[in-house]
Amino acid sequence: MTPQFWLWLGFAGMAAGAAAILFMAKRRTPAEEADGIIHGIVPIIAACSYFAMATGQGSLVLPAGPDAAEAARQFYFARYIDWTFTTPLLLVGLSRTAMHSGMRRPAVVWGLIGSDLIMIVTALAFGLSDVAAIKWTWFAISCGGFLAVFYGIFVQLREENASERADVRKAFVRNAVFLTGVWSAYPIVLLVGQDGLGILSPTAALAVIAILDLTAKVVYGIMATLETTRTVDRDLKDGSVAATPLRRAA
C-alpha cells in the first residue's frame, strides 16, 4: 500500500467519523450538546489535515540528515497543525467528563492545554531539526510536556473526579486510560520514524499514525459521546438536571 492510500484513508475515515459522531450526539442538555460538538469537530479538523497531506499541500521535503540512507525525507507538517487544535479539544472534553457536575478548576484545564501545546510545538521542532543534538533536545522537551499532561490527567483531574458519583468516575477512568494509551504510542512512532531514527519506512510510519489518529479521534470520539449519553441518561432519570428543549427561530 502506498503513502497516498493511507492519507486518503485518513481523510475518508475522519470525514465519516465526524458525521457519525455528530449524528449520534444528543442535545438534551447544554453539556451534552457541547460535548457532541467538541468530539464532532475534532475529526473534521483532522480530515482537513489529511486532505492537505494527500494533495501535497501539507508536507515539504527536508534533508534526511548525515546518517540517513536517503538524501531527503517528506515532512508532514499538517499533522502538527491538526494536533495543535485537536489535542486541546480532546483534553477539554476529558476535563468536562472528569468534572461533570461543574468546571471547578479551570486552571487545571489551562495547565493541561499549555503542557499539551508545549509537547506539540517542540515535537514539530524535533521533526524540523537536522542537527542531532538539537533534534534530540527538542524530543526530550516534548516528552517532558507529555509527562506533564499525564500528571494533569491522572493526578489533578482525578482529584476533582473523586467527588463525582460512581458512574461518572468510571466513565472518566475509561476515557482517560483509552486516550492516553493511544497517545503513548505517538512518541514511539516519531522516535523510530523518518523524522527520528528512520527505522520505520515512510509508508509504515504513515500507516501507524493514520491508525492512531483514527483511533484517538474517531473511535475515542464515539466512545466519549456514548459515555456522555449514558451519564446524561442518569442525570435525567434522577432529576439532577432538566432536559433543555431546542430553541427554534420564530
Side-chain angles (χ1 to χ4, degrees):
M1 294 178 182
T2 65
Q4 291 300 108
F5 169 83
W6 292 105
L7 293 173
W8 284 115
L9 177 67
F11 167 71
M14 293 298 180
I21 292 169
L22 291 172
F23 177 78
M24 291 169 52
K26 298 180 180 180
R27 292 181 289 170
R28 295 171 296 179
T29 68
E32 191 174 34
E33 183 178 39
D35 284 355
I37 291 171
I38 288 170
H39 291 294
I41 202 170
V42 163
I44 292 175
I45 295 170
C48 293
S49 168
Y50 272 93
F51 181 78
M53 291 188 288
T55 56
Q57 295 180 312
S59 65
L60 49 85
V61 177
L62 293 178
D67 299 325
E70 298 180 3
R73 60 189 168 99
Q74 200 79 14
F75 180 69
Y76 293 94
F77 65 85
R79 65 167 55 121
Y80 294 91
I81 299 174
D82 164 359
W83 295 341
T84 298
F85 290 97
T86 57
T87 53
L89 284 171
L90 290 170
L91 287 171
V92 169
L94 184 62
S95 299
R96 290 173 58 85
T97 300
M99 295 181 275
H100 178 68
S101 60
M103 194 66 71
R104 298 177 292 277
R105 290 179 67 188
V108 170
V109 183
W110 285 114
L112 276 170
I113 292 172
S115 300
D116 177 68
L117 291 177
I118 290 170
M119 176 182 70
I120 300 302
V121 172
T122 53
L124 171 63
F126 156 77
L128 288 169
S129 299
D130 297 319
V131 179
I134 297 173
K135 174 184 283 290
W136 295 112
T137 299
W138 282 127
F139 184 78
I141 296 171
S142 181
C143 290
F146 196 17
L147 291 175
V149 171
F150 264 64
Y151 176 83
I153 292 173
F154 288 103
V155 177
Q156 294 174 309
L157 283 186
R158 195 163 187 187
E159 286 174 353
E160 293 304 310
N161 181 245
S163 63
E164 301 286 344
R165 67 176 189 251
D167 62 319
V168 176
R169 295 197 301 271
K170 290 178 181 177
F172 168 70
V173 170
R174 280 193 293 265
N175 287 3
V177 169
F178 185 93
L179 185 62
T180 56
V182 177
W183 279 3
S184 295
Y186 282 92
I188 298 172
V189 178
L190 293 179
L191 174 66
V192 300
Q194 292 300 296
D195 297 336
L197 298 174
I199 297 171
L200 281 181
S201 69
T203 302
L206 275 176
V208 175
I209 290 182
I211 293 169
L212 289 173
D213 278 347
L214 287 167
T215 304
K217 297 175 173 68
V218 174
V219 176
Y220 174 76
I222 291 171
M223 171 183 164
T225 300
L226 292 174
E227 292 281 11
T228 299
T229 298
R230 285 191 288 267
T231 301
V232 173
D233 284 343
R234 173 71 182 271
D235 291 340
L236 296 173
K237 183 178 180 180
D238 64 20
S240 60
V241 68
T244 303
L246 296 177
R247 293 187 179 91
R248 291 183 172 85

